[in-house]
Amino acid sequence: MTPKKLTLPLTDLQIKNLRQGDLLLLSGTIYTARDQAHKKLIETLKSGQALPIPKGAVIYYTGPTPAKRNKVIGSCGPTTSGRMDEFSPILIEHGYKIMIGKGARNETVIKSLKKHQGLYLSALGGCGALYQQCVKTCECITYPELLSEAIYKLTVHEFPVIVTI
Amino acid sequence: MMPKIRYIEAKTITKKTAELVQNTATYLRPDALKAFKSALKTETSTPSKTILNYLIKNAELAKKNNTPCCQDTGLEILYCELGEQVLIKNGHWKSALQKGIKLGSKQGCLRQSVVSDPLIRINTKTNAPGLIHFDLVPGNQIKITCLSKGFGCENKGQIKMFNPTASIDEIKTFILDSIAAAGSNACPPFLIGIGMGGTLDHACDLAKRAQLTPIGKRNSKPHLAKFEQALLKAANALNIGPLGLGGKTTCLDIKILAAPTHIAGLPVAVNIGCHAIRSQSITI
């Protein structure tokens, strides 16, 4: 399982050449969002307003622990993707087609990813300490009242994920 | 002869509980790390070996950087074995313990994972309240065991009220189906707790308590030990593997706790524990 080092953003050609089971080490910018943030993002989309994250942003499903002093971020492994299944298809349609989480996705999400040449990557569940090391910067972008469920902009270095869909 | 009463200060309980909660939620249990290393020797597929190596590296980094091994630092559950000769001084047991959970969560930078009501869902911002169980035991000490339970796996638990005439095979099928349904979402390799007997809620309580016992230690009753081994073999034959990528290590262990029950019932509870096995005890 030789890891492939890739830098975000990924081109459509790079996405096309990936195979299920490939181990990738990603570097670049990703945005965290989980249950409550997804609910708010969809409400914003439906109201016709602009989203607080740039188009094409890679979304990582996580709710980190608070950062200790002198640390960029706390423990930040992935949360269960299935709970975001109801929200993902509309986000994929609007250009947010790369997602990182853990566990299976439903048929609707799978169809949507295939239709829009999207990518679902599995991060290693329970490896919060490992991912902490991969995060170089962390900035709260929006929804700070959601605490660990806020949207954070992360700069990551060699963040291990496995190509799933 | 009158028993000698020992007094423990409430603030001592709070301080010691805070340390316990911090340590429990941060570090992987030693027998879990040992089980990963042992599984590495028996796994043959490259993806499962790669995952197991990552799990080991994660546990080592958590220890080195004093950071929670998983970001879901869980709902804190305290099991207190309270000596009958112990009395608390300058406080009350429940509030002293809950203060300990709050303090430990703050000092350890644990995640604020608790909402005060299941429907209204406002975050308590303290990671409290936790769940507290008391058992009275002889003696003048208190033993507190903390279990940090994440909800990726907790959400996959199951309970079934079998007929009293149910066969072992029916029970085995239910348990294996529960493990299969948990799958990759619950972060295998699992530590499964099975509770049998009692009432609906008692079986669920037993299933969780079963996860506190060491990996590899069999139930003291031969027929239950035999069932544990058969279940473990069958569960690992499901080939779900570490993080659901396939492999021989779907479960690190399956532990059963059983209790007397009603003539008309046979409750069986399955509690799924993920690979972030986090429980520790202190004695005061």
Side-chain angles (χ1 to χ4, degrees), chain A residues 1 3 23 25 34 36 62-68 71 73-83 102-104 123-133 145 147-148 160 162, chain B residues 22 26 46-48 50-51 54-55 57-59 61-62 64-73 107-112 121 123 125 152-153 155 184-187 243 245 275-276:
Chain A
M1 220 173 172
L23 174 63
L25 299 177
R34 44 179 285 164
Q36 300 302 331
T62 186
T65 61
K68 291 192 176 178
K71 294 275 187 197
I73 196 169
S75 181
C76 52
T79 196
T80 306
S81 305
R83 300 195 312 271
K102 77 161 161 94
L124 306 168
C127 289
L130 185 86
Y131 286 113
Q132 185 196 41
Q133 294 254 111
E145 71 280 7
L147 308 169
S148 66
I162 297 169
Chain B
Q22 236 184 116
T26 305
T46 307
S48 22
T50 305
I51 300 300
Y54 271 124
L55 297 186
K57 188 175 179 194
N58 185 64
L61 281 170
K64 179 180 162 225
N65 296 331
N66 191 24
T67 224
C69 57
C70 176
Q71 78 290 341
D72 184 354
T73 46
Q107 288 172 338
C109 292
L110 307 187
R111 197 176 71 178
Q112 294 151 349
R121 305 196 76 84
N123 197 303
K125 298 189 183 179
C153 53
N155 276 335
S184 57
N185 281 351
C187 292
L243 297 184
L245 291 181
H275 64 71

Side-chain angles (χ1 to χ4, degrees), chain A residues 32 60 62-77 128-129 131-139 152-156 159, chain B residues 67-68 109:
Chain A
T32 73
Y60 176 38
T62 186
T65 61
K68 291 192 176 178
R69 213 146 49 111
N70 303 322
K71 294 275 187 197
V72 166
I73 196 169
S75 181
C76 52
Y131 286 113
Q132 185 196 41
Q133 294 254 111
C134 300
V135 176
K136 301 305 170 192
T137 68
C138 171
E139 184 196 342
Y152 295 92
K153 179 182 174 184
L154 309 181
T155 316
V156 301
F159 188 97
Chain B
T67 224
C109 292

Side-chain angles (χ1 to χ4, degrees), chain B residues 31-153:
Chain B
D31 58 335
L33 185 59
K34 202 173 157 195
F36 295 161
K37 291 179 179 174
S38 179
L40 206 48
K41 294 180 189 156
T42 55
E43 277 290 356
T44 45
S45 88
T46 307
S48 22
K49 279 180 181 298
T50 305
I51 300 300
L52 285 167
N53 275 317
Y54 271 124
L55 297 186
I56 292 165
K57 188 175 179 194
N58 185 64
E60 288 164 357
L61 281 170
K63 202 169 174 184
K64 179 180 162 225
N65 296 331
N66 191 24
T67 224
C69 57
C70 176
Q71 78 290 341
D72 184 354
T73 46
L75 196 63
E76 307 308 330
I77 307 167
L78 301 179
Y79 296 92
C80 303
E81 289 172 65
L82 180 56
E84 287 166 343
Q85 290 159 242
V86 181
L87 284 181
I88 195 167
K89 202 163 87 165
N90 295 318
H92 302 281
W93 283 114
K94 284 185 189 174
S95 62
L97 291 162
Q98 294 290 4
K99 276 182 191 166
I101 292 173
K102 284 182 196 175
L103 184 59
S105 298
K106 191 174 175 197
Q107 288 172 338
C109 292
L110 307 187
R111 197 176 71 178
Q112 294 151 349
S113 300
V114 178
V115 290
S116 55
D117 181 272
L119 296 179
I120 296 168
R121 305 196 76 84
I122 296 172
N123 197 303
T124 62
K125 298 189 183 179
T126 58
N127 201 36
L131 290 174
I132 302 176
H133 299 280
F134 284 103
D135 281 320
L136 285 172
V137 296
N140 67 353
Q141 294 180 311
I142 176 169
K143 181 180 177 187
I144 309 173
T145 301
C146 180
L147 169 66
S148 292
K149 194 64 170 34
F151 260 60
C153 53

